[in-house]
Structures are given as structure tokens and as C-alpha cells.
Amino acid sequence: MNSRKELINHFALMTEIIDQHQEGKRDVTFRVFRFNPQVDSKPYFDDYTISAERGITVLRSLNYIKEHVDPSLSFRAFCQAGICGSCGMRVNGTSKLSCTSQVWDELDKCREPGIIKVEPLRSMPIIKDLIVDMDPLVDKMKRYSNWIDSTMPLAEMGKKEFLVSEEEFHRYDKATDCILCASCVSECSILRANKEYVSPAVLLKSYRMNVDSRDSIHDVRLAELVKDHGVWDCTHCYRCQESCVKSIPIMEAIHSIREDALECRGPKDTSGAKHAEAFMEDIEKKGKLVEATLPIRTNGVVWTLRNLLPMAMKMIVKRRTPPPPPLVKPAKGIKIFRAMFREMSEHVKQDHLKSHKK
Amino acid sequence: MKPFDIVIVGGGGAGLYAAMEAMKTNPALNIAVLTKVYPNRSHTSAAQGGANAALGNKAKDDTVEMHIFDTIKGSDYLADQDAVDVLCSEAPKIIRELENIGTPWSRMEDNTIAQRPFGGAGRPRCCYCADKTGHTILQTLYEQCLRKGVIFFNEYFALSLSVQGSRSRGLMAMNMKSGKVEAFPARTVIFATGGYAKMYWNRSSNAAGNTGDGQAIAYRAGIPMKDMEFVQFHPTGLRKSGLLVTEGARGEGGFLINKDGERFMARYAKEKMELGPRDLVSRSIETEILEGRGFDSPAGKYIHLDLTHLGADLIKSRLPQIREMSLNFEGVDPIEEPIPVRPTAHYSMGGIDTDNFGRTVMDGVYAAGECACVSVHGANRLGGNSLLDILVFGRIAGHTAAEEAGKFEPGKISEEEIKASVDELRSSMQPSGHYERYGALREELGQTLALNVGIFREASLLKQGIRDISELKERFKKVRVFDSSDVFNTNLMQVLELKNMLDLAETVAIGALAREESRGSHTRIDFPVRDDEKWHKHTLATLVNGKTTPGEKPVTMGRYELQERTY
């Protein structure tokens, strides 16, 4: 075995090498959102300029600032390896994990050269600085039963395995990558307008539970998902999927829930389903929307009169009313379009048979 | 606050399983889980590889008995054999139970739970979900706790036990959101706060919060710590960050290569090669580096973990997280190049001394998971046994506490006691005159531990380590908390975590100096062989009148006699 001296030399050498590794440094300014509800009436930004080396992450920079410049700067961090989901924040305007974001990559995305902007996640109440309240998300997980309610009787638990095919496993494998970092929650355009909205993360988890053959409350969960603020409120902006730190196809999950809802509960079940159905009907018939009757077909006559009449009056005054249904002529080349439409519908049906348990 | 029947400190795998099982045992009980992070953030999520259970899905001839033997041998015969019996015989049941409630295990061709080989195991018995096993187990448990309506106190930092005579009356904790110290009077308290290996700071694979809070609180309340000197170094941490590359990478067929292009494990474990037990592989890598056969880089010396021959498909399907981490933290794509790795402090075998039911010496106080020492891992834990440990003993502790809660009077914590706790907190925040930075102290602690209480240990080094730690403890008194806010004061929290690490570091170093032998993860250059006559026993460290007082406890033997441990 080596002597103690060699051992110490080994460590000393290592430290020395690390110290020498000073090349590849740049001055970087972090413009960080600050808000302490105890003293601040409104949020502000603090600038911290540090010398950052190549390879350093945004989180390590924030740690450095907290240790050496301003210990009051507050943010969450735990595993620092991209798996616990604590350090979600907005870096240069995009929600992501700060622990896996490279400073030098971010420098290419700055609006003002050399200044990296760091803000808390959106659509969640701010507690302090970069820390937001996660409780509303947890409450939604509860509301939408984001758990497996096993078909295995309690007395049989632990005695035998369910047999799960590779194919079924692949249906939810990617969805179980979700670490609840809430980047999608922060990027969701619906949530910014409506805090009651179910949120992408909870839809993803709901999907994951619904396609699991071990679960027994698929119908209960789905019934909740089709209510107001549920799955039909999504506007397909794809921001959730684009910002997902685990590259999970969240929109696919949302589409799947909708298809599942149409199939299981029928197209007349909720206004969301009726809306989708009316859309399909128009597109198939005319290749475009018959907007004038869309609200009636979605929400019924009474609701439309009560809610849209004032707006309709204004539209008439401004001459902005959509054309009445008889005037909406089928689009050019509608025959070819219809053939394509039917072929697509057939494909979707086949995919369904393949990927959905019934 | 109304007294609780059970307060569980920690919301990782052990804590959540304890909560679930306690509710199942007696649904009428008033149970709370108190945790300093949201439960789904807990470090259980970082466990990649899997959990061992002799299901026999992959190797039909695997048995619980073989799992028991592998675990005892792996522990270098320091594990208590009756505890290992419990661990391994409960394993198949608990893995199936998790499967039954939704854990998305990877599957074999016959649709049963998939299993793979793991270090130190005679059969492929490690059940896994790709390389996100801990994450999916934690999610499953959290989901089930939400389903059952477990009451969570998220982002509460535990401060101290309230002790009356030989029993606990509950717990004091700081609500991070308000900064208020709140009392949690309780009949029983279960500690499930995880390990203490973060005291090695930058030379550790652990999360920033794995600071041994539960152990430190129990230790200051007079509960003995057991086998603290045994800290496992994981063979393959990423060179720059210390972050972990799962043993699954070697289980799938990865090679360890030195700068001469040799698969050097042939020298140290001819048969098992890369799948030797962790202590042995760590020492082998460290020896290669010390003898000059490592690679050199500005960020330190390292060796290669080569996965390139496994092919893109296998890496993408079975080791996706590893690929992501290598890309993010080393800029290396393991499909194309080998990953630079070196050993990193990873797991604490030692912890709060408990019996096989999770009980500590103090009435009404229990512990489970990495923060406890039953002991099932002895001097060295096998890969795939830590997730198993937190599940099996988390459940047992939850069950025991639920059964025994009625035995203890509901606790009461007086206003004076709460006030005293607040005063103590405040006084530690603003020293006058010269002050110290907690960040510097934390780094120095990690440095001295890695240098003096690391993989290779020696009396003079250990003595230096002990001197350094007591000096750091002295300097800690001058640490100033700059953030004066009550709301989410992470500055204060990190200072309190440092205090916990300092208290525990002392027990680790003292234990390591006392144990004059080499066993499992504890390697003394000056005592290179295992000494069963003198040291086949557990060491205890108890705080008596402010001083660490050593003690010992016999190892429970069973069917297996002491043997030399070779692979």
C-alpha cells in the first residue's frame, strides 16, 4: 500500500491542478428577481456579476452568489442532478431546471448581452425571490386522483405480480419520467388566464394512471377531467411539451385523454366534447368552420343567448359578424380534402385500437 | 397543536412507507409527515439502479437464502444476521406490493418484473424501472399517501426532540414559510431523514440536504449512533461534480478502464470483475489512480467507465438518465465516448441505533431507512439493498409505531420550551465582532473528511481530521446568518444543516480512529486486515454531557460463520 506521504501528495496535486484551471472564464451578470413579502411592497431585480467558468451551471452560479455575495438570495435546490425537480425557475424567460442549465449556453440567449435574467416560475404564488408555492399543484393532483387505485384486493397485496406487457409499459414509461418540476405549469398559456385550470403536469399524470391496467378508477378520473377547467380547456399551444425538462410528449397525453373521453363518454358528454365534435363536423362537410352556430352547438341556445348576445350585438354594430351558415360554401377542392379526412380518421381509429385498452 | 399519535420526520421512501403502513395498521390514528422538502423531492428519487428481491423472475434458481448470504458476506460479516433475515425474506413481498399499487417496473419477456445483475450478488435479482427506479418508487408512494389523505407538513425543518426523562414528548420544527418555531407534541416520532454522506460536500454524490438532520437531533437528545465510521464510497461518481453513475451501468455490462487501456478489475476481483462489491471496486479505482494509472485532467484524476460497446439502443432504453447526466455535467455522450469517473462518498451505513422493529433506546422514538442502523448493511452495503432497506424497515417502523403509540401518553410541549428553542435559534444568528462564513466552513469540512477520513485511513490522518473538525466546531460559533427574513430563510437552514454535519462528522472520525482494523468500507492503511477477535462488533457513539462517548454492541450471528471475504 502507498505511504501516507504519497497520499497527501496526491491530494495536494489535485487541489493545485484545480486551482490552475482558471482559463475559460467570463464575467456574467445575473439579473435576479427579488421579493421578500415581509419588507418589499413590490418585486425588483438585483444584478450580480460573477466570473463564471465554462461548464458551470446556473444553479452553481446562484449557489456561489448566495455563499459569497448575498446570503439572503433565496431559491430551492436539492439533488443538483436534474432528478428531484426542486430548482425549476425561469432563465432568460424560459422555465427550466437551473441545475441542468449551462451558463455559457444561456449567454447565447440573453436579450441584453451578458445579462442572464432569472425569475420565479409563473402561475404559482410567489413565496420569496425564486421560491413559489407548490401547494396548488398538489391540490390538483388530489382533485384529479393522480394515483393508482389498485384492482388487487387489499388481502392479496404483495402475494402476486400483475403481468404487464412490454407494450403497456411503454404507454406510460415516458410519462413516469415526470419529476413535477412545474416548468410546464409555468409555461402553460391557459393557466396564466385561469388558475383553476387542471395544468399540464396533472393531465400528464392523469393520462399515465388512465392507461394503466392495474388501476380501477379510470371512469372516476375521466369524469373529473371533462368538467370545467379540465382537459377540454387546453388550446394546443404546445408550450408545455416544448419546455418539458424530461422531453415528455405532454400534448400527446392530453390528446389521448380527449380521445378517450370522446370514446368512453360520447361526443355529447360535455361542452368541450361537443365543441370538438362540431369542429370535426364542419371540417368534414365544408373544409372550414361555420362560426355563427358554433357557440350554439357547443353550449346550447340558452347559454349562447345569455352569454354571447351582448357581444353579438356589438359585432353587428361593427359589421364583424361571421357569415350565416348557408353562405359558408365548401372550400375549394373539398372532394379531395374529404377523402384525405376520412383516411386520416381511419388511421386514428386504427391507432386507437392498438394503443388503448378497452 | 393537538398531539399527534405519530409524527414522521422525513418524506422519502422510508417516511412515506411508514406513513402508509401506520395508516393501514390503525386508520384511527392521527399521523403527520413533516419534511424539509416536498416529499417528491426527497433523495430517494436519485436512486437509479434498483431494489434487490429474490423473485426468481430472471434466475429461476435464486432464493431468499442466497440473498441473505450475499448481504451478510457483502457486509463483511458486520450485519446482524436476524435483521438481514427480515430484510431479504420481506423483499419479494414488498416489491410485489409496490407493483400492485402502481410502480412502473420494467418487464421481462414473460411480463413479470424485470431483474438485472448487481454488484456483490450471486444472481440477477435487482428489480428496476429503467434507471429511474427510486424516482418511480417515490412517486408511487407519494401518490398513495395523497390517496390515503396523509397529513403533510411540507418545508418544515426539524430542530430538536422534546425529551422528558427516558421518553420523547414530540418535536420542535421551524416552518420555513413563516420562520416560526412550531411544536409537534406526539406520542411517537419516527426519524426517516436519510443519510449523512453530504458532509463530504463536493466529494459526495448526495443531495445538498443529506445532512443527517435526524441523526444529529437524535444524537443531541442522547440516543446512540451506531457504526458511524462506515461510509460507502461509490466507485463511479462523475469526475467534476461527484454525481452518481449507477451501478446499473456496470450491471448492463460497462467496463472500467485505466489509462493503459486495461480492464484493471481483473487484478482485484478476477471472477466478478466490474461487479465486485462497492468498497472493493472503489479501493481498486483509488489504487489505480494512486499508482499512476489514472487519467489526468484539470478537474482531477479519474478512470474510464466505458459503455460504448453496449450500443446506442441499450444505452437509450436502459440507461437514459446516465446519458443525460453525462451530457449535462461532463459534456460526454456515453454512446460515443467513455465516461470519466472516480469514487464519491455515497452512503452512510451508520446511523441511529435501532432494533429490528425500528425502536431506538428512547421510548416513543423510532428510526428507519438510511438514517437508521439496524444493522443490515454492516461494514458495506450492497447495491440494490438501500431501496430495499427503506421500504422494508420504513414499513416495519410505521407498523411498530402504530401498534405501540397507545402505550405512550400524548406528549405535551410547554410554551417555555418553545420559547427556549426560539431563543436558541435567534442567539445563534448574530455573533458580535469577527464572524465566519458558513460556506467556507462547509467546504473545509468536506475537504478534511475526504483527505483524512476518506477511502484510505490511517491513525495520524484521522487524528488530524478530528482536530480539524473540533476547530471547525469552534469557528461555527462565529457563523453569522445574514438573511434576517422570517420567510423562507434558506441561509439559516443551511447554517443549521452545517451544525448537524459537524456534530456527526465528529462521530464518524472518532469511530474510524477507534476501529483498528480494515473491514468493508473502512480501510486502515495501518491495520490492513480484518480483526475479528477485537473488532467483530458494532461501535456506538453517545453524547454524554456534551462529549462523544464510545460504546459497543455485539453482532447478532446466525447460520453463517465468519469467513474471509473474497470475490
Side-chain angles (χ1 to χ4, degrees):
Chain A
M1 195 72 273
N2 288 269
S3 72
R4 182 195 155 205
K5 206 171 161 195
E6 274 173 76
L7 201 72
I8 291 174
N9 280 344
H10 166 63
F11 281 106
L13 191 67
M14 268 173 39
T15 323
E16 201 176 305
I17 291 168
I18 292 166
D19 287 344
Q20 283 166 2
H21 180 50
Q22 299 298 327
E23 86 275 9
K25 285 203 163 193
R26 283 169 75 171
D27 279 349
V28 181
T29 299
F30 290 85
R31 182 160 292 167
V32 187
F33 179 100
R34 303 298 309 272
F35 178 65
N36 176 359
Q38 265 191 317
V39 290
D40 303 324
S41 56
K42 60 174 196 242
Y44 60 96
F45 284 88
D46 265 334
D47 281 4
Y48 304 101
T49 303
I50 62 169
S51 165
E53 66 193 34
R54 182 191 288 278
I56 193 172
T57 60
V58 172
L59 179 61
R60 274 181 61 199
S61 309
L62 293 176
N63 278 334
Y64 180 88
I65 292 167
K66 187 171 180 66
E67 273 173 40
H68 297 273
V69 187
D70 184 352
S72 74
L73 177 61
S74 303
F75 50 90
R76 290 194 186 100
F78 199 63
C79 80
Q80 327 215 24
I83 185 64
C84 81
S86 299
C87 66
M89 54 185 75
R90 274 187 305 144
V91 182
N92 280 334
T94 306
S95 308
K96 50 174 73 170
L97 296 178
S98 60
C99 71
T100 54
S101 300
Q102 291 285 331
V103 169
W104 284 38
D105 291 348
E106 288 302 328
L107 283 173
D108 299 335
K109 302 173 194 158
C110 297
R111 192 167 284 180
E112 281 178 65
I115 299 178
I116 295 175
K117 204 168 183 184
V118 185
E119 297 160 280
L121 295 177
R122 274 192 300 225
S123 293
M124 281 175 280
I126 289 169
I127 294 174
K128 184 188 183 187
D129 295 350
L130 302 170
I131 299 169
V132 295
D133 193 352
M134 290 289 184
D135 286 347
L137 187 62
V138 177
D139 290 342
K140 284 175 189 167
M141 285 166 58
K142 286 193 215 164
R143 178 173 164 194
Y144 293 93
S145 311
N146 278 183
W147 47 72
I148 295 290
D149 200 326
S150 183
T151 55
M152 186 71 77
L154 206 60
E156 297 296 310
M157 286 275 180
K159 291 189 183 150
K160 60 171 195 246
E161 297 174 27
F162 285 107
L163 295 179
V164 175
S165 67
E166 178 105 359
E167 188 214 325
E168 179 183 331
F169 172 74
H170 282 302
R171 247 181 265 154
Y172 49 70
D173 178 26
K174 200 62 199 156
T176 59
D177 281 359
C178 172
I179 56 172
L180 294 169
C181 69
S183 288
C184 60
V185 173
S186 167
E187 293 290 319
C188 174
S189 52
I190 304 301
L191 266 173
R192 291 180 70 187
N194 174 18
K195 299 283 175 279
E196 297 289 304
Y197 174 57
V198 46
S199 86
V202 174
L203 284 174
L204 177 71
K205 249 181 138 50
S206 304
Y207 160 81
R208 173 255 174 280
M209 303 301 164
N210 270 353
V211 295
D212 194 319
S213 64
R214 297 170 290 187
D215 175 57
S216 66
I217 54 166
H218 168 275
D219 296 352
V220 178
R221 202 176 292 115
L222 196 58
E224 195 63 31
L225 285 164
V226 298
K227 288 184 185 164
D228 286 355
H229 317 303
V231 68
W232 293 110
D233 283 18
C234 166
T235 58
H236 315 243
C237 74
Y238 277 81
R239 290 296 301 136
C240 54
Q241 186 160 322
E242 280 167 17
S243 63
C244 178
V245 304
K246 293 285 168 189
S247 310
I248 304 168
I250 305 176
M251 272 312 302
E252 264 173 43
I254 297 176
H255 286 313
S256 286
I257 296 174
R258 287 180 166 192
E259 284 163 17
D260 192 17
L262 283 173
E263 218 170 294
C264 296
R265 303 177 58 86
K268 301 280 180 271
D269 174 52
T270 56
S271 53
K274 284 183 209 157
H275 189 70
E277 181 78 356
F279 239 83
M280 293 284 276
E281 190 186 306
D282 284 358
I283 299 294
E284 189 179 4
K285 248 192 226 157
K286 306 202 167 180
K288 55 177 130 172
L289 284 180
V290 185
E291 287 182 75
T293 59
L294 199 56
I296 299 170
R297 285 179 290 161
T298 301
N299 286 309
V301 179
V302 178
W303 184 93
T304 307
L305 287 178
R306 193 179 294 154
N307 291 278
L308 296 183
L309 201 59
M311 188 164 77
M313 298 306 280
K314 274 191 220 161
M315 286 164 90
I316 291 168
V317 172
K318 302 258 181 198
R319 295 166 173 257
R320 304 291 287 184
T321 45
L327 291 185
V328 183
K329 297 286 177 227
K332 254 190 200 164
I334 185 72
K335 276 201 182 135
I336 303 167
F337 177 77
R338 272 185 202 148
M340 284 164 66
F341 184 86
R342 276 178 203 138
E343 200 192 323
M344 287 255 286
S345 306
E346 198 51 41
H347 275 308
V348 171
K349 221 182 255 167
Q350 289 303 324
D351 283 355
H352 254 252
L353 289 177
K354 264 188 240 154
S355 69
H356 276 270
K357 68 182 173 111
K358 270 278 93 55
Chain B
M1 197 179 281
K2 191 169 153 258
F4 288 96
D5 294 305
I6 306 175
V7 169
I8 298 164
V9 190
L16 296 183
Y17 225 122
M20 222 169 69
E21 188 64 20
M23 283 190 95
K24 196 161 124 192
T25 307
N26 184 353
L29 294 181
N30 186 13
I31 300 165
V33 175
L34 184 148
T35 154
K36 70 176 172 179
V37 293
Y38 277 84
N40 52 308
R41 310 292 183 218
S42 307
H43 203 48
T44 299
S45 67
Q48 298 163 342
N52 295 333
L55 294 174
N57 290 355
K58 176 103 177 177
K60 302 291 173 213
D61 63 344
D62 194 14
T63 61
V64 167
E65 201 52 46
M66 288 168 84
H67 187 188
I68 293 173
F69 176 70
D70 287 342
T71 304
I72 291 168
K73 182 181 172 192
S75 79
D76 221 345
Y77 297 88
L78 195 68
D80 293 307
Q81 298 195 6
D82 54 345
V84 177
D85 269 3
V86 175
L87 179 83
C88 302
S89 13
E90 287 291 307
K93 194 176 149 211
I94 210 145
I95 296 301
R96 287 190 202 114
E97 188 170 304
L98 273 175
E99 195 275 344
N100 294 165
I101 57 175
T103 302
W105 298 107
S106 291
R107 297 288 165 164
M108 310 265 295
E109 270 168 14
D110 65 356
N111 298 346
T112 55
I113 297 170
Q115 297 187 285
R116 64 181 158 208
F118 237 54
R123 293 288 181 279
R125 68 170 73 93
C126 188
C127 310
Y128 63 94
C129 171
D131 55 1
K132 53 178 174 182
T133 315
H135 161 70
T136 55
I137 288 177
L138 184 66
Q139 292 283 336
T140 306
L141 291 174
Y142 187 41
E143 288 153 14
Q144 293 300 318
C145 285
L146 291 179
R147 176 165 90 90
K148 297 198 170 188
V150 171
I151 302 165
F152 283 102
F153 290 89
N154 294 330
E155 311 202 300
Y156 275 69
F157 187 85
L159 296 170
S160 60
L161 269 177
S162 168
V163 181
Q164 189 177 40
S166 71
R167 67 154 296 207
S168 129
R169 291 178 300 192
L171 191 86
M172 225 75 83
M174 176 171 62
N175 179 349
M176 290 304 293
K177 276 183 194 165
S178 68
K180 283 207 174 69
V181 174
E182 296 178 19
F184 289 80
R187 291 176 196 260
T188 62
V189 173
I190 303 176
F191 285 109
T193 56
Y196 52 79
K198 193 61 189 174
M199 63 171 69
Y200 287 78
W201 206 243
N202 284 331
R203 288 294 302 274
S204 165
S205 68
N206 285 194
N210 284 21
T211 49
D213 303 340
Q215 295 93 320
I217 290 170
Y219 176 63
R220 288 193 288 259
I223 298 173
M225 300 293 113
K226 184 159 78 191
D227 292 340
M228 293 297 279
E229 61 273 26
F230 293 104
V231 176
Q232 181 174 77
F233 281 75
H234 193 287
T236 54
L238 290 179
R239 161 191 55 178
K240 288 181 189 166
S241 51
L243 294 173
L244 203 68
V245 180
T246 170
E247 192 163 316
R250 280 172 288 135
E252 297 290 353
F255 295 153
L256 293 172
I257 309 277
N258 65 16
K259 80 166 182 203
D260 303 329
E262 281 178 294
R263 266 181 86 186
F264 57 83
M265 282 310 297
R267 258 198 294 283
Y268 308 92
K270 221 178 179 135
E271 221 173 282
K272 298 241 167 182
M273 294 295 284
E274 279 83 0
L275 286 179
R278 289 182 175 171
D279 56 336
L280 182 80
V281 181
S282 288
R283 276 197 304 275
S284 309
I285 296 175
E286 197 75 357
T287 306
E288 289 294 305
I289 290 175
L290 288 175
E291 289 176 1
R293 291 188 295 276
F295 296 90
D296 228 332
S297 83
K301 298 195 177 187
Y302 63 95
I303 56 104
H304 274 155
L305 172 60
D306 192 354
L307 308 180
T308 51
H309 58 284
L310 298 179
D313 286 349
L314 189 140
I315 292 175
K316 280 184 191 162
S317 65
R318 304 252 187 94
L319 303 164
Q321 241 191 70
I322 293 309
R323 179 159 181 252
E324 204 179 294
M325 274 175 47
S326 308
L327 284 165
N328 277 333
F329 302 106
E330 289 284 348
V332 165
D333 185 346
I335 293 176
E336 277 146 24
E337 307 171 63
I339 312 172
V341 294
R342 63 174 173 178
T344 179
H346 178 54
Y347 185 85
S348 28
M349 268 74 73
I352 302 170
D353 176 29
T354 72
D355 66 10
N356 293 351
F357 296 91
R359 300 185 194 104
T360 70
V361 298
M362 188 178 284
D363 284 346
V365 179
Y366 305 78
E370 193 176 340
C371 85
C373 179
V374 183
S375 144
V376 288
H377 308 305
N380 172 56
R381 172 180 70 81
L382 289 188
N385 269 356
S386 65
L387 279 178
L388 187 61
D389 173 17
I390 65 176
L391 301 170
V392 169
F393 287 97
R395 181 165 76 179
I396 289 174
H399 184 78
T400 315
E403 297 251 285
E404 296 180 353
K407 274 191 358 197
F408 306 110
E409 286 298 302
K412 256 193 210 131
I413 298 176
S414 65
E415 286 301 319
E416 291 83 62
E417 205 176 333
I418 301 173
K419 199 181 164 297
S421 186
V422 175
D423 290 347
E424 197 194 324
L425 210 58
R426 295 282 164 234
S427 70
S428 70
M429 283 170 73
Q430 298 297 343
S432 53
H434 169 76
Y435 65 85
E436 294 279 352
R437 284 181 178 278
Y438 74 100
L441 262 58
R442 207 163 57 178
E443 240 154 68
E444 282 178 48
L445 176 65
Q447 268 167 20
T448 184
L449 285 173
L451 184 64
N452 299 312
V453 199
I455 295 181
F456 292 113
R457 299 166 173 183
E458 199 207 341
S460 57
L461 291 174
L462 289 163
K463 281 178 191 153
Q464 183 59 45
I466 292 169
R467 273 196 300 276
D468 288 349
I469 294 165
S470 69
E471 203 175 287
L472 286 167
K473 283 180 89 165
E474 212 35 57
R475 284 165 62 194
F476 177 81
K477 293 177 185 159
K478 289 282 182 191
V479 163
R480 183 182 287 181
V481 177
F482 281 88
D483 190 348
S484 55
S485 167
D486 292 325
V487 183
F488 228 101
N489 194 332
T490 47
N491 186 191
L492 174 59
M493 184 171 87
Q494 289 175 352
V495 168
L496 294 171
E497 287 174 338
L498 173 60
K499 181 173 195 268
N500 292 341
M501 288 194 287
L502 283 167
D503 282 351
L504 293 181
E506 198 162 42
T507 66
V508 175
I510 290 174
L513 179 62
R515 188 174 282 276
E516 296 184 332
E517 66 160 350
S518 290
R519 183 188 297 269
S521 70
H522 172 72
T523 308
R524 288 282 299 260
I525 296 168
D526 43 356
F527 297 93
V529 287
R530 198 173 84 187
D531 183 351
D532 290 326
E533 206 172 301
K534 272 196 192 146
W535 286 103
H536 188 240
K537 60 190 177 193
H538 300 294
T539 55
L540 296 178
T542 315
L543 193 69
V544 182
N545 301 325
K547 276 199 77 170
T548 306
T549 312
E552 57 184 64
K553 209 176 167 177
V555 176
T556 310
M557 294 298 278
R559 290 186 292 284
Y560 298 101
E561 293 299 318
L562 286 162
Q563 285 175 35
E564 201 194 337
R565 178 169 166 259
T566 52
Y567 285 93

